[in-house]
Coordinates of all heavy atoms in Angstrom, one line a residue:
Chain B
L45 N 6.4 -20.1 -12.4 CA 6.9 -19.0 -11.6 C 6.0 -17.8 -11.8 O 5.6 -17.5 -12.9 CB 8.3 -18.6 -12.1 CG 9.3 -19.8 -12.0 CD1 10.6 -19.5 -12.8 CD2 9.6 -20.1 -10.6
E46 N 5.7 -17.1 -10.7 CA 4.9 -15.9 -10.7 C 5.6 -14.8 -9.9 O 5.9 -15.0 -8.7 CB 3.5 -16.2 -10.0 CG 2.6 -15.0 -9.9 CD 1.4 -15.2 -9.1 OE1 1.3 -16.2 -8.3 OE2 0.4 -14.4 -9.3
W47 N 5.9 -13.7 -10.5 CA 6.4 -12.5 -9.8 C 5.4 -12.0 -8.8 O 4.2 -11.9 -9.1 CB 6.8 -11.5 -10.9 CG 7.1 -10.2 -10.2 CD1 8.3 -9.9 -9.6 CD2 6.3 -9.0 -10.2 NE1 8.3 -8.6 -9.2 CE2 7.1 -8.0 -9.5 CE3 5.1 -8.7 -10.6 CZ2 6.6 -6.8 -9.2 CZ3 4.6 -7.4 -10.4 CH2 5.3 -6.4 -9.7
V48 N 6.0 -11.7 -7.6 CA 5.1 -11.2 -6.5 C 5.3 -9.7 -6.3 O 4.4 -8.9 -6.2 CB 5.3 -12.0 -5.3 CG1 4.6 -11.4 -4.1 CG2 5.0 -13.5 -5.5
S49 N 6.6 -9.3 -6.1 CA 6.9 -7.9 -5.6 C 8.3 -7.6 -5.8 O 9.2 -8.5 -5.8 CB 6.5 -7.8 -4.1 OG 6.7 -6.5 -3.7
T50 N 8.6 -6.3 -6.0 CA 10.0 -5.8 -6.1 C 10.1 -4.5 -5.3 O 9.2 -3.7 -5.3 CB 10.3 -5.6 -7.6 OG1 10.2 -6.8 -8.3 CG2 11.7 -5.0 -7.8
L51 N 11.3 -4.4 -4.8 CA 11.6 -3.2 -4.0 C 13.0 -2.6 -4.4 O 14.0 -3.4 -4.5 CB 11.7 -3.6 -2.5 CG 12.0 -2.4 -1.4 CD1 11.0 -1.3 -1.5 CD2 12.0 -3.1 -0.1
S52 N 13.1 -1.3 -4.6 CA 14.3 -0.8 -5.1 C 15.4 -0.8 -4.0 O 15.0 -1.0 -2.8 CB 14.1 0.7 -5.5 OG 13.6 1.5 -4.4
G53 N 16.6 -0.5 -4.4 CA 17.7 -0.7 -3.4 C 17.6 0.2 -2.2 O 17.9 -0.2 -1.1
A54 N 17.2 1.5 -2.4 CA 17.0 2.4 -1.3 C 15.7 2.3 -0.6 O 15.4 2.9 0.4 CB 17.2 3.8 -1.8
G55 N 14.8 1.5 -1.2 CA 13.5 1.3 -0.6 C 12.4 2.3 -1.1 O 11.2 2.2 -0.6
G56 N 12.7 3.2 -2.0 CA 11.8 4.2 -2.3 C 10.8 3.8 -3.4 O 9.7 4.5 -3.5
S57 N 11.0 2.8 -4.1 CA 10.1 2.3 -5.2 C 9.6 0.9 -4.9 O 10.5 0.0 -4.7 CB 10.8 2.4 -6.5 OG 11.1 3.7 -6.8
I58 N 8.3 0.7 -4.9 CA 7.7 -0.6 -4.5 C 6.7 -1.0 -5.6 O 6.0 -0.2 -6.1 CB 7.0 -0.5 -3.2 CG1 8.0 -0.1 -2.0 CG2 6.3 -1.8 -2.8 CD1 7.4 0.2 -0.7
Y59 N 6.8 -2.3 -5.9 CA 5.9 -2.8 -7.0 C 5.3 -4.1 -6.5 O 6.0 -4.9 -5.9 CB 6.7 -3.0 -8.2 CG 7.6 -1.9 -8.7 CD1 8.8 -1.7 -8.2 CD2 7.1 -1.0 -9.6 CE1 9.6 -0.7 -8.6 CE2 7.9 0.1 -10.1 CZ 9.1 0.2 -9.5 OH 9.9 1.3 -9.9
Y60 N 4.0 -4.3 -6.9 CA 3.3 -5.5 -6.5 C 2.6 -6.1 -7.7 O 2.0 -5.3 -8.5 CB 2.3 -5.3 -5.4 CG 2.9 -4.9 -4.0 CD1 2.8 -3.5 -3.6 CD2 3.5 -5.8 -3.2 CE1 3.3 -3.2 -2.4 CE2 4.1 -5.4 -2.0 CZ 4.0 -4.1 -1.6 OH 4.5 -3.7 -0.4
A61 N 2.4 -7.4 -7.7 CA 1.5 -8.0 -8.6 C 0.1 -7.8 -8.1 O -0.2 -7.7 -6.9 CB 1.8 -9.6 -8.7
D62 N -0.9 -7.7 -9.1 CA -2.3 -7.5 -8.7 C -2.8 -8.5 -7.7 O -3.6 -8.2 -6.9 CB -3.1 -7.4 -9.9 CG -2.9 -6.2 -10.8 OD1 -2.3 -5.2 -10.2 OD2 -3.3 -6.1 -12.0
S63 N -2.3 -9.7 -7.9 CA -2.8 -10.8 -7.1 C -2.5 -10.7 -5.6 O -3.1 -11.4 -4.7 CB -2.3 -12.2 -7.6 OG -0.8 -12.2 -7.5
V64 N -1.5 -9.8 -5.2 CA -1.1 -9.7 -3.8 C -1.3 -8.2 -3.3 O -1.1 -8.0 -2.1 CB 0.3 -10.2 -3.6 CG1 0.5 -11.6 -4.1 CG2 1.3 -9.2 -4.2
K65 N -1.6 -7.3 -4.2 CA -1.7 -5.9 -3.8 C -2.7 -5.7 -2.7 O -3.8 -6.3 -2.8 CB -2.0 -5.1 -5.0 CG -1.7 -3.6 -4.9 CD -1.9 -2.9 -6.3 CE -1.0 -3.4 -7.3 NZ -1.2 -2.6 -8.6
G66 N -2.3 -5.0 -1.7 CA -3.2 -4.7 -0.6 C -3.1 -5.8 0.5 O -3.7 -5.6 1.6
R67 N -2.5 -6.9 0.2 CA -2.4 -8.0 1.2 C -0.9 -8.2 1.6 O -0.7 -8.6 2.8 CB -3.0 -9.3 0.7 CG -4.4 -9.2 0.3 CD -5.0 -10.5 -0.1 NE -4.3 -11.2 -1.2 CZ -3.6 -12.3 -1.1 NH1 -3.6 -13.0 0.0 NH2 -3.0 -12.8 -2.2
F68 N 0.0 -8.0 0.7 CA 1.4 -8.3 1.0 C 2.2 -7.0 1.1 O 1.8 -6.0 0.4 CB 2.0 -9.1 -0.1 CG 1.6 -10.5 -0.2 CD1 0.5 -11.0 0.6 CD2 2.3 -11.4 -1.0 CE1 0.1 -12.4 0.5 CE2 1.9 -12.8 -1.1 CZ 0.8 -13.2 -0.3
T69 N 3.2 -6.9 1.9 CA 4.1 -5.8 2.1 C 5.5 -6.2 2.0 O 6.0 -7.0 2.8 CB 3.8 -5.0 3.4 OG1 2.4 -4.6 3.5 CG2 4.7 -3.8 3.5
I70 N 6.2 -5.6 1.0 CA 7.7 -5.9 0.9 C 8.4 -4.8 1.6 O 8.0 -3.6 1.6 CB 8.1 -6.0 -0.6 CG1 9.5 -6.5 -0.8 CG2 7.9 -4.6 -1.3 CD1 9.9 -6.8 -2.2
S71 N 9.5 -5.1 2.3 CA 10.4 -4.1 2.9 C 11.8 -4.6 3.0 O 12.0 -5.8 2.7 CB 9.8 -3.8 4.3 OG 9.8 -5.0 5.2
R72 N 12.7 -3.8 3.4 CA 14.1 -4.2 3.6 C 14.7 -3.4 4.6 O 14.3 -2.3 5.0 CB 14.8 -4.1 2.3 CG 15.0 -2.7 1.8 CD 15.4 -2.6 0.3 NE 16.8 -3.1 0.1 CZ 17.3 -3.5 -1.1 NH1 16.5 -3.5 -2.2 NH2 18.5 -4.0 -1.2
D73 N 15.8 -4.0 5.2 CA 16.6 -3.4 6.2 C 18.1 -3.5 5.7 O 18.7 -4.5 5.8 CB 16.5 -4.0 7.6 CG 17.3 -3.3 8.7 OD1 18.2 -2.6 8.4 OD2 17.0 -3.5 9.9
N74 N 18.5 -2.4 5.1 CA 19.8 -2.5 4.5 C 21.0 -2.6 5.5 O 22.1 -3.0 5.2 CB 20.0 -1.2 3.6 CG 19.2 -1.3 2.2 OD1 18.8 -2.4 1.9 ND2 19.1 -0.2 1.6
S75 N 20.7 -2.2 6.7 CA 21.7 -2.3 7.8 C 21.9 -3.8 8.2 O 23.0 -4.1 8.7 CB 21.4 -1.5 9.0 OG 20.2 -2.0 9.7
K76 N 20.9 -4.6 7.9 CA 21.0 -6.0 8.2 C 21.0 -6.9 7.0 O 21.0 -8.1 7.1 CB 19.7 -6.4 9.0 CG 19.6 -5.7 10.4 CD 18.4 -6.2 11.2 CE 18.3 -5.6 12.6 NZ 17.2 -6.0 13.3
N77 N 21.1 -6.3 5.8 CA 21.1 -7.0 4.5 C 20.0 -8.0 4.4 O 20.2 -9.2 4.1 CB 22.5 -7.7 4.4 CG 23.6 -6.8 4.0 OD1 23.4 -5.6 3.9 ND2 24.8 -7.3 3.9
T78 N 18.8 -7.6 4.8 CA 17.7 -8.5 4.8 C 16.5 -7.9 4.1 O 16.2 -6.7 4.3 CB 17.3 -8.8 6.3 OG1 18.5 -9.4 6.9 CG2 16.2 -9.8 6.4
L79 N 15.8 -8.8 3.4 CA 14.6 -8.4 2.7 C 13.4 -9.2 3.4 O 13.6 -10.3 3.9 CB 14.7 -8.9 1.3 CG 13.5 -8.7 0.4 CD1 13.3 -7.3 0.0 CD2 13.6 -9.6 -0.9
Y80 N 12.2 -8.5 3.4 CA 11.1 -9.1 4.1 C 9.9 -9.2 3.1 O 9.8 -8.4 2.2 CB 10.7 -8.3 5.3 CG 11.8 -8.2 6.3 CD1 12.6 -7.0 6.4 CD2 12.1 -9.2 7.2 CE1 13.6 -6.9 7.3 CE2 13.2 -9.1 8.1 CZ 13.9 -7.9 8.2 OH 14.9 -7.8 9.1
L81 N 8.9 -10.1 3.5 CA 7.6 -10.1 2.8 C 6.6 -10.4 3.9 O 6.6 -11.5 4.4 CB 7.6 -11.1 1.7 CG 6.3 -11.0 0.9 CD1 6.2 -9.7 0.1 CD2 6.2 -12.2 -0.1
Q82 N 5.8 -9.4 4.3 CA 4.7 -9.6 5.2 C 3.5 -9.9 4.4 O 3.0 -9.2 3.5 CB 4.5 -8.3 6.0 CG 3.3 -8.4 7.0 CD 3.6 -9.3 8.1 OE1 4.7 -9.2 8.8 NE2 2.7 -10.2 8.4
M83 N 2.9 -11.1 4.7 CA 1.8 -11.6 3.9 C 0.6 -11.7 4.9 O 0.7 -12.4 6.0 CB 2.1 -13.0 3.4 CG 3.4 -13.0 2.5 SD 3.6 -14.6 1.6 CE 3.9 -15.7 3.0
T84 N -0.5 -11.1 4.6 CA -1.7 -11.1 5.4 C -2.9 -11.6 4.5 O -2.8 -11.7 3.3 CB -2.0 -9.8 6.0 OG1 -2.3 -8.8 4.9 CG2 -0.9 -9.2 6.8
S85 N -4.0 -11.9 5.2 CA -5.2 -12.3 4.5 C -4.9 -13.4 3.5 O -5.4 -13.4 2.4 CB -5.9 -11.2 3.8 OG -6.2 -10.1 4.7
L86 N -4.2 -14.4 4.0 CA -3.7 -15.5 3.1 C -4.9 -16.4 2.7 O -5.8 -16.7 3.5 CB -2.6 -16.3 3.8 CG -1.3 -15.5 3.9 CD1 -0.3 -16.2 4.9 CD2 -0.6 -15.5 2.5
T87 N -4.8 -16.9 1.4 CA -5.7 -17.8 0.9 C -5.0 -19.1 0.5 O -3.8 -19.0 0.3 CB -6.6 -17.2 -0.2 OG1 -5.7 -17.2 -1.4 CG2 -7.1 -15.9 0.1
V88 N -5.8 -20.1 0.2 CA -5.1 -21.3 -0.3 C -4.3 -21.1 -1.6 O -3.3 -21.8 -1.9 CB -6.1 -22.5 -0.5 CG1 -6.8 -22.8 0.9 CG2 -7.2 -22.1 -1.5
D89 N -4.7 -20.1 -2.4 CA -4.0 -19.8 -3.6 C -2.6 -19.2 -3.4 O -1.9 -19.1 -4.3 CB -4.9 -18.9 -4.5 CG -6.1 -19.5 -5.0 OD1 -6.1 -20.8 -5.1 OD2 -7.1 -18.8 -5.4
D90 N -2.4 -18.8 -2.2 CA -1.0 -18.3 -1.8 C 0.0 -19.4 -1.5 O 1.1 -19.1 -1.2 CB -1.2 -17.2 -0.7 CG -1.9 -16.0 -1.1 OD1 -1.7 -15.5 -2.2 OD2 -2.8 -15.6 -0.2
T91 N -0.5 -20.6 -1.4 CA 0.4 -21.7 -1.1 C 1.4 -21.8 -2.2 O 1.1 -22.0 -3.4 CB -0.4 -23.0 -1.0 OG1 -1.3 -23.0 0.2 CG2 0.5 -24.2 -0.8
A92 N 2.7 -21.7 -1.8 CA 3.8 -21.7 -2.8 C 5.2 -21.7 -2.1 O 5.2 -21.4 -0.9 CB 3.7 -20.5 -3.7
T93 N 6.2 -22.0 -2.8 CA 7.5 -21.8 -2.4 C 7.8 -20.3 -2.8 O 7.6 -20.0 -4.0 CB 8.5 -22.7 -3.1 OG1 8.3 -24.1 -2.6 CG2 9.9 -22.3 -2.7

Side-chain angles (χ1 to χ4, degrees):
Chain B
L45 301 166
E46 179 189 16
W47 170 75
V48 172
S49 184
T50 298
L51 180 59
S52 63
S57 298
I58 300 175
Y59 309 86
Y60 295 105
D62 288 343
S63 58
V64 307
K65 199 174 295 182
R67 300 188 299 122
F68 289 12
T69 302
I70 191 172
S71 62
R72 65 194 295 162
D73 185 339
N74 286 344
S75 69
K76 295 182 178 179
N77 286 359
T78 302
L79 177 73
Y80 303 100
L81 186 68
Q82 178 70 49
M83 306 190 294
T84 63
S85 302
L86 287 163
T87 74
V88 295
D89 291 338
D90 296 315
T91 294
T93 295

